Amino acid sequence: MNEARWHPTLTLLPDGRVLAASGLDADGQTVPGASEVYAPDTGTWSKTLAHAFPTYPSLFAAGGRKVFYSGANAGYGPTPRRGSEVGLWNLKNSAFTPVGPPKDPDALENASAVLLPPAQDHKVMLLGGGGMGESHATTSRTAIVDLDDPHPAFRQGPPLPQNTRYLNSVVMPDDTVFTTGGSTDYRGRGASDIRTAQFYLPAADIFVPAAEPTVGRNHHSEALLLPDGRVAVFGSDPLFSDKANSRPGHFEQRIEVYSPPYLFHGRRPHLKLKGSSDINRGDEIAFGLPDAAGIGRVRLMRPGSVTQGTDFDQRSVALDITRRTSGSLTVHVPDDPALVPHGWYMAFATNVDGTPSTAVWLHVRPSA
């Protein structure tokens, strides 16, 4: 690369190139504004137009050579002030168009941000967050922005059960978002880990409780959707190990696996791929499915690539059902590289009761 970068964000662009933004250099200083783009066809890096972000900025490819920054970040470097740096970044000319800021714009460090399902809705949700560095400030704020709006602005969503930073959010096959963990203070200081979990239901715009985790999770924690529909939760790097903050913390090595309620609603659909797992955008894909008549939705879900509670690559793409027989289902893959970046995906079929199949892995080829 042209610059040493610690804590950068990598964003796959619709044309197959990779944008590397932000980070700290070899001396621990914020990398000057210039980002870099990797071209896989030539194996080369080139600098792009400058825009400064804090480390691990939550960047979402928004189509049309634009990238959306929700404000969520991992700290270090320039931090948004009153939401002025939340908005759409045009990679053609580096123009930055601010988006109406969320509530509590000074509490965006270690916030969670997720592209709500299905990805075709182009809605991004921001959840929780805290003040800069070792600040005690945290927020229960959630906010949602519709990037299809001619003048996008965050609207307030339902609050989290309590003020939370380091929250993990996972897009689920039934079009819900599972959120878990976090703490109310910096790196769990003062025994402030939150041992609760909940689902956000986008259709109803509400949170509903989920089973409580037994292990606290804060800094350096992760949560991933598994191909069988469960969620693996791991990591955490607390600053201290006691409420009095008198003993150093230790990295959490226990893993918990959460089984959502949809796994206990009856028989699961059985999905079997007919044909190759290598597909192109615009293809029709046939699946063998004995109970095809009862399928309500099919989703192409990009697997998580999470670090430090930040995961901006996951997405759930709705696949239109084009044919249905008693034993098979045919779906259409959207022909839009901004919506379906190339790479591996999990395909889930969910029945009308909300119970998903086990995933079938599919590989979307890069554009020729």
Side-chain angles (χ1 to χ4, degrees), residues 75-90:
Y76 301 104
T79 298
R81 294 295 186 186
R82 309 308 306 169
S84 61
E85 290 298 314
V86 174
L88 285 161
W89 182 28
N90 190 328

Side-chain angles (χ1 to χ4, degrees), residues 40-326:
D41 55 341
T42 61
T44 57
W45 288 92
S46 59
K47 289 190 176 182
T48 187
L49 295 173
H51 193 83
F53 296 101
T55 60
Y56 281 142
S58 64
L59 300 178
F60 298 87
R65 296 285 308 275
K66 291 182 179 180
V67 173
F68 174 67
Y69 174 48
S70 75
N73 66 85
Y76 301 104
T79 298
R81 294 295 186 186
R82 309 308 306 169
S84 61
E85 290 298 314
V86 174
L88 285 161
W89 182 28
N90 190 328
L91 298 182
K92 292 179 182 178
N93 55 17
S94 204
F96 195 89
T97 304
V99 162
K103 178 187 175 186
D104 299 336
D106 292 331
L108 292 170
E109 194 168 300
N110 306 121
S112 178
V114 64
L115 182 65
L116 290 175
Q120 282 92 334
D121 289 349
H122 301 119
K123 292 181 179 179
V124 173
M125 187 175 193
L126 181 69
L127 305 97
M132 291 179 61
E134 298 191 21
S135 167
H136 293 282
T138 51
T139 180
S140 64
R141 171 262 297 118
T142 73
I144 300 167
V145 61
D146 183 352
L147 298 181
D148 284 339
D149 192 306
H151 304 286
F154 275 105
R155 70 165 178 84
Q156 197 163 326
L160 293 163
Q162 55 190 305
N163 292 350
T164 309
R165 61 194 300 170
Y166 311 108
L167 184 73
N168 274 280
S169 303
V170 181
V171 177
M172 305 296 283
D174 62 351
D175 284 356
T176 63
V177 178
F178 175 68
T179 70
T180 184
S183 63
T184 60
D185 201 352
Y186 176 74
R187 291 181 62 178
R189 186 171 48 192
S192 59
D193 283 347
I194 299 169
R195 290 175 174 80
T196 61
Q198 48 278 321
F199 285 96
Y200 174 67
L201 312 183
D205 197 28
I206 59 172
F207 283 101
V208 296
E212 296 178 354
T214 59
V215 178
R217 310 281 179 180
N218 52 72
H219 184 51
H220 285 145
S221 63
E222 290 85 29
L224 288 172
L225 175 67
L226 300 177
D228 64 4
R230 297 181 299 164
V231 177
V233 185
F234 45 98
S236 191
D237 193 7
L239 195 60
F240 301 104
S241 62
D242 64 324
K243 189 172 183 178
N245 301 327
S246 62
R247 298 193 300 271
H250 302 282
F251 193 85
E252 178 57 68
Q253 299 185 50
R254 289 172 292 176
I255 298 172
E256 288 190 287
V257 179
Y258 174 63
S259 297
Y262 58 42
L263 296 180
F264 306 98
H265 288 169
R267 184 180 174 183
R268 301 185 68 175
H270 180 68
L271 194 65
K272 185 177 181 180
L273 178 65
K274 291 184 175 182
S276 172
S277 60
D278 279 315
I279 63 173
N280 297 308
R281 302 181 193 93
D283 279 356
E284 290 205 334
I285 308 168
F287 295 102
L289 201 64
D291 43 3
I295 297 302
R297 63 172 67 95
V298 181
R299 297 290 185 259
L300 200 60
M301 304 195 67
R302 194 169 180 86
S305 55
V306 60
T307 183
Q308 285 204 169
T310 62
D311 187 357
F312 317 121
D313 200 37
Q314 60 176 331
R315 62 179 53 213
S316 176
V317 180
L319 303 183
D320 291 334
I321 298 173
T322 58
R323 271 193 307 279
R324 192 192 304 255
T325 70
S326 59

